[in-house]
Amino acid sequence: GAVVSQHPSWVICKSGTSVKIECRSLDFQATTMFWYRQFPKQSLMLMATSNEGSKATYEQGVEKDKFLINHASLTLSTLTVTSAHPEDSSFYICSARVTGSTDTQYFGPGTRLTVL
Amino acid sequence: DQQVKQNSPSLSVQEGRISILNCDYTNSMFDYFLWYKKYPAEGPTFLISISSIKDKNEDGRFTVFLNKSAKHLSLHIVPSQPGDSAVYFCAAASGGSNYKLTFGKGTLLTVNP
C-alpha cells in the first residue's frame, strides 16, 4: 500500500516552454501532497505544500507564479514549471501524506527535468 | 541554517556488520523523526520513524534511537547487507496541520560483500 506515482519520469524541454508533472496517490487518499526539488548531492528541499481544494502554500524563495500547483482531487496534484530555464533543471519529487494518518509521507519516484 | 544535519557524507561497512547512521537536529520543536532510503534517480523510500515520546523504535533489521536531550538520533542496521547500499536521509517534522519535513543532506552507505 501507500504507492505514489509520478509522470513523466523524465522530460527534456526547450527553454521558455512549460512542463507539467503529475503526482498520484494510487491506493490511498491524500489531502496533502508536497513537492520537493533535489539538486545533485544536495538534500530534498521543500518547494510547496499542496492542499486538495485550496491554494498551495509555497516555501520562502519559491516563485508561485513560476511553479504552479493544482490539487484538484484527493489523488492527484500537478506541478507546472512555467517558462522553464536551464537553472530549473533538477529532480522533482512529490510526496503524499495519508489522510487522517500519521506524519509519514510516501514519495513518488521523481521526475528528472532537463531544460536545454 | 541547517536544522537537520548528517555530518557523515559517507559510510562504508562490511556485510554482516552493524551500520550506524547519525543525525543531529537543532530545532527543539521537532517531534517526529523519519529515516528514508534513496537510490539514484528514485524517490525516497520510507524506512522507519520515531515519535519524540519514545527513545527507541525497532523494525526488523532497522532500529532508530532518539536522544532528545542531545538532539540526536541514529539508525542502526544489523546485519548490514549489500542491498542496503544507498543514500539514507534523516528527516524531522514538527506538529501542525501539514507536518512539513526537513531533511538532512544524506549519508551514502556502502555495504561491501
Side-chain angles (χ1 to χ4, degrees):
Chain A
V3 178
V4 177
S5 70
Q6 276 184 246
H7 178 80
S9 56
W10 60 270
V11 57
I12 301 173
C13 69
K14 293 182 178 180
S15 185
T17 60
S18 295
V19 175
K20 179 186 284 189
I21 304 170
E22 292 185 350
C23 176
R24 294 182 185 271
S25 56
L26 297 185
D27 51 1
F28 66 100
Q29 293 185 332
T31 305
T32 304
M33 291 184 173
F34 303 86
W35 286 96
Y36 294 83
R37 181 168 53 185
Q38 184 188 26
F39 292 106
K41 298 185 178 180
Q42 295 296 314
S43 182
L44 283 76
M45 298 300 296
L46 179 66
M47 298 174 65
T49 302
S50 171
N51 298 299
E52 188 266 337
S54 64
K55 291 183 179 180
T57 304
Y58 291 82
E59 295 300 299
Q60 193 173 11
V62 178
E63 300 175 57
K64 61 179 181 180
D65 294 329
K66 181 171 184 60
F67 298 99
L68 301 178
I69 291 173
N70 184 281
H71 194 154
S73 76
L74 287 172
T75 59
L76 173 64
S77 175
T78 61
L79 168 69
T80 301
V81 183
T82 62
S83 187
H85 287 95
E87 58 265 30
D88 297 324
S89 299
S90 186
F91 192 57
Y92 291 86
I93 310 173
C94 73
S95 72
R97 186 168 70 90
V98 178
T99 301
S101 182
T102 64
D103 306 341
T104 305
Q105 293 179 23
Y106 295 92
F107 285 80
T111 298
R112 169 69 61 190
L113 170 63
T114 302
V115 184
L116 303 177
Chain B
D1 177 34
Q2 199 162 8
Q3 298 185 61
V4 178
K5 301 177 184 179
Q6 292 177 258
N7 292 320
S8 297
S10 63
L11 173 68
S12 185
V13 171
Q14 206 64 29
E15 179 179 6
R17 306 294 289 268
I18 185 172
S19 296
I20 300 178
L21 299 146
N22 293 303
C23 178
D24 298 292
Y25 62 96
T26 57
N27 189 340
S28 57
M29 298 300 292
F30 288 143
D31 57 8
Y32 193 69
F33 304 89
L34 308 92
W35 283 94
Y36 286 87
K37 175 182 178 181
K38 185 179 181 300
Y39 295 111
E42 292 185 11
T45 302
F46 170 71
L47 277 178
I48 192 170
S49 63
I50 188 168
S51 165
S52 61
I53 63 174
K54 294 185 176 181
D55 54 18
K56 176 182 175 182
N57 188 25
E58 190 173 353
D59 184 2
R61 296 186 297 115
F62 303 93
T63 303
V64 56
F65 295 92
L66 175 63
N67 183 334
K68 284 189 296 182
S69 60
K71 293 190 176 67
H72 176 84
L73 64 155
S74 61
L75 174 68
H76 292 211
I77 307 173
V78 56
S80 301
Q81 300 172 354
D84 295 329
S85 299
V87 176
Y88 288 78
F89 286 97
C90 169
S94 57
S97 59
N98 285 329
Y99 294 98
K100 295 191 295 186
L101 295 182
T102 301
F103 282 85
K105 287 191 173 182
T107 296
L108 173 62
L109 173 65
T110 302
V111 180
N112 301 304

